[in-house]
């Protein structure tokens, strides 16, 4: 089905870049500001929070984006999903595919991120950050930034979108690195942490990575001799919670070809996985509450490949050659390596799978150029319970890198959100302009 809209339209304008990193008062939703004109549509009827489905049985809807506007990523929120577009964001009802609210800047390039609790969505473009309520699209705050120091919502650039405010880092040649929380609400107190010091007492230099966890802010920064330090700061106070030394406390020797320029962490529930294999694939898993390294040796070898790290374990693709025939299957394991559940799939891949609570959903291609089927396998059963034709194409045959294939079939493009499973269309060289919903 093609979706319809149930929103209230408000014309807005977007602010131009100013120097510094100051806050400006956030007016009423839709209040005009100087700059290029955009489109802000707030929800008439906000959605209720939903549970993530344990399985799916049918294709429910297809959403088509505006002409020449790509879909970059699916961002789960408690009421469903927000699509990060090349020029803004749009929130969808996961059951019907209808647009709930929209914030777009036609002709501009925008970045977006959600807060860890999913209650807020931040959109940044042209030097301005706008914070939106994820269920209604109403404006919560507006800030202007000088983005010369970085791009997007990285800690070393504009910052990270925390539940209570914006987290940013600064480096002073005389005092070293400092991390600050600037609260969204003026009446709330922020905090400043630092200078961040290395094990030998010297000042840290250069932010290498930064990410938010359910309880903290984790910063990886450089130290002398080419070493690094990884420190977790309490999200409410800025106090140091724990620290690790990469290379000493954990090893990250594995890496796929054509991966990112630098390895980054992904947060899944209460754990963080070093993405040194692909999206949410890696050999290192850390408990973000305690800093305990749960493992730095998940399998990455012929016959046993880690294909997805979950909040409480990981999925492995196993292969075995017997009498000239190759048998393949997936295993769900806990972090100790114990096998909890299995699913035998003859054409098991390193990508194109989605583990759910009750089932494992696998993309399966037929004739070249055809859209895939979503094949639903109950855990511990050898036969699928459902085969669902996909209304959108996902063409990965020309992608020889696992990293590139994961862009089309990984967590940002094929994932469960509260209320549905979403799949983005992918055609090499084209726009990701259609999304399918399955319930």
């Amino acid at each position: 089905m093609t979706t319809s809209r149930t929103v209230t339209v408000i014309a807005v304008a977007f602010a131009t870049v100013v120097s510094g990193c100051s806050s400006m008062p956030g007016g009423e939703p839709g209040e005009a500001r100087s700059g290029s004109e955009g489109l802000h549509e707030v929800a008439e009827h906000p959605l209720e929070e939903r549970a993530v489905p344990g399985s799916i049985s049918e294709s429910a809807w297809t959403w088509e984006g505006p002409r020449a506007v790509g879909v970059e990523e699916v961002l789960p929120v408690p009421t469903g999903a927000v699509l990060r577009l090349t020029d803004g964001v749009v929130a969808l009802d996961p059951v019907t595919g209808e647009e709930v609210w929209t914030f777009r800047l036609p002709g501009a390039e925008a970045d977006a991120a959600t807060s860890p609790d999913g209650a807020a969505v931040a959109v940044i473009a042209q030097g301005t950050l706008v914070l939106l309520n994820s269920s209604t699209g109403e404006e919560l705050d507006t800030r202007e930034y000088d983005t010369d120091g970085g791009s997007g919502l990285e800690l070393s650039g504009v910052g990270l979108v925390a539940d209570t405010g914006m987290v940013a880092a600064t480096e002073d040649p005389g005092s070293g690195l400092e991390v600050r929380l600037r609260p969204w609400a003026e009446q709330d107190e922020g905090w400043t942490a630092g200078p961040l010091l290395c094990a030998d007492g010297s000042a840290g230099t250069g932010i290498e990575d930064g990410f938010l966890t359910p309880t903290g802010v984790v910063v990886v920064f450089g130290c002398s001799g080419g070493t690094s330090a990884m420190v977790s700061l309490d999200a409410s106070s800025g106090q140091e919670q724990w620290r690790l030394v990469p290379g000493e406390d954990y090893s990250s020797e594995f890496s796929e070809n054509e991966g990112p320029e630098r390895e980054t962490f992904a947060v899944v529930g209460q754990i963080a996985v070093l993405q040194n294999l692909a999206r949410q694939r890696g050999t290192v898993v850390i408990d973000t509450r305690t800093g305990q390294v749960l493992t730095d040796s998940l399998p990455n070898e012929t016959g046993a490949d880690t294909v997805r790290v979950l909040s409480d374990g990981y999925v492995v693709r196993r292969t075995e050659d017997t009498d000239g025939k190759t048998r393949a299957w997936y295993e769900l394991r806990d972090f100790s390596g114990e096998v909890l559940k299995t699913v035998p799939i003859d054409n098991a891949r390193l990508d194109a799978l989605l583990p759910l609570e009750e089932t494992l959903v696998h993309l399966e291609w037929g004739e070249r150029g055809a859209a895939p089927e979503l094949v639903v396998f109950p855990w511990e059963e050898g036969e699928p319970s459902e085969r669902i034709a996909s209304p959108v194409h996902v063409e990965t045959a020309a992608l020889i890198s696992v990293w590139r294939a994961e862009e089309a079939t990984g967590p940002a493009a094929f994932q469960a959100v509260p209320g549905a499973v979403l799949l983005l269309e992918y055609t090499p060289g084209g726009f990701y302009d259609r999304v399918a919903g399955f319930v």
Side-chain angles (χ1 to χ4, degrees):
M1 60 177 285
T2 301
T3 63
S4 59
R5 297 186 178 185
T6 57
V7 292
T8 299
V9 180
I10 300 177
V12 300
F14 218 69
T16 56
V17 178
V18 298
S19 60
C21 183
S22 60
S23 174
M24 63 179 283
E28 294 299 320
E31 180 182 349
R33 295 180 292 275
S34 63
S36 59
E37 188 171 325
L39 178 65
H40 187 187
E41 305 173 348
V42 300
E44 286 184 348
H45 305 290
L47 303 178
E48 296 181 355
E49 295 187 10
R50 294 182 168 95
V52 175
S55 186
I56 55 173
S57 59
E58 63 177 334
S59 172
W61 51 264
T62 302
W63 176 89
E64 296 189 8
R67 184 176 178 82
V69 174
V71 181
E72 301 287 343
E73 185 179 9
V74 174
L75 301 173
V77 296
T79 55
V82 171
L83 304 182
R84 179 168 69 89
L85 310 179
T86 51
D87 66 359
V89 291
V90 59
L92 299 183
D93 183 324
V95 176
T96 66
E98 293 181 338
E99 295 183 9
V100 180
W101 59 263
T102 302
F103 190 98
R104 292 183 51 230
L105 301 163
E109 292 186 5
D111 196 3
T114 57
S115 59
D117 64 5
V121 179
V123 181
I124 186 168
Q126 301 175 339
T128 300
L129 181 145
V130 176
L131 191 73
L132 306 167
N133 181 302
S134 68
S135 64
T136 66
E138 293 177 322
E139 184 177 311
L140 303 175
D141 195 12
T142 303
R143 301 186 179 191
E144 296 183 3
Y145 290 93
D146 180 354
T147 57
D148 291 342
S151 62
L153 295 168
E154 298 175 355
L155 184 63
S156 57
V158 172
L160 297 173
V161 181
D163 296 336
T164 57
M166 199 74 181
V167 179
T170 57
E171 182 174 9
D172 187 292
S175 59
L177 294 168
E178 287 189 339
V179 179
R180 291 185 311 221
L181 171 73
R182 295 189 172 187
W184 306 119
E186 293 183 0
Q187 67 270 21
D188 293 343
E189 294 186 5
W191 50 258
T192 299
L196 301 182
L197 303 179
C198 300
D200 61 3
S202 62
T205 58
I207 300 293
E208 298 178 0
D209 192 15
F211 58 92
L212 297 170
T213 75
T215 58
V217 180
V218 177
V219 181
V220 183
F221 56 92
C223 292
S224 60
T227 60
S228 301
M230 182 178 188
V231 174
S232 175
L233 306 172
D234 185 279
S236 60
S237 66
Q239 295 293 315
E240 182 173 325
Q241 295 177 306
W242 51 262
R243 70 166 48 211
L244 298 170
V245 178
E248 295 182 13
D249 294 314
Y250 64 83
S251 173
S252 58
E253 298 177 355
F254 297 109
S255 181
E256 294 285 340
N257 293 329
E258 298 187 35
E261 294 182 359
R262 61 185 178 90
E263 296 168 347
T264 59
F265 281 86
V267 177
V268 185
Q270 297 284 358
I271 64 100
V273 54
L274 180 63
Q275 300 175 118
N276 57 347
L277 299 177
R279 292 181 183 270
Q280 293 186 18
R281 292 185 59 220
T283 56
V284 179
V285 180
I286 297 169
D287 186 326
T288 62
R289 296 164 294 187
T290 63
Q292 177 188 2
V293 179
L294 300 176
T295 177
D296 67 351
S297 57
L298 293 188
N300 180 48
E301 59 213 25
T302 302
D305 300 278
T306 296
V307 293
R308 184 67 57 84
V309 177
L310 310 175
S311 61
D312 54 359
Y314 59 102
V315 179
V316 171
R317 183 191 69 163
R318 293 291 310 276
T319 58
E320 182 180 75
D321 292 327
T322 304
D323 297 329
K325 295 183 179 180
T326 300
R327 187 171 67 94
W329 68 98
Y330 291 115
E331 293 178 351
L332 176 63
R333 302 180 180 182
D334 63 22
F335 290 122
S336 72
E338 181 182 353
V339 177
L340 305 177
K341 302 175 182 178
T342 62
V343 169
I345 300 177
D346 291 337
N347 59 344
R349 300 164 51 108
L350 294 177
D351 60 340
L353 81 158
L354 180 61
L356 301 176
E357 183 68 26
E358 302 166 12
T359 57
L360 185 146
V361 184
H362 190 258
L363 295 185
E364 185 175 295
W365 286 264
E367 297 181 3
R368 186 176 180 85
E373 281 188 319
L374 279 71
V375 187
V376 182
F377 287 87
W379 292 105
E380 298 292 356
E381 294 187 18
E383 295 297 327
S385 60
E386 303 285 349
R387 286 185 173 272
I388 309 169
S390 170
V392 300
H393 283 71
V394 182
E395 301 174 13
T396 63
L399 302 176
I400 60 174
S401 162
V402 174
W403 265 100
R404 304 300 174 237
E406 282 285 270
E407 291 179 352
T409 63
F414 178 38
Q415 66 168 299
V417 302
V421 165
L422 270 56
L423 176 64
L424 272 62
E425 183 164 75
Y426 177 81
T427 55
F431 284 103
Y432 308 70
D433 56 1
R434 297 203 306 160
V435 180
F438 303 86
V439 297

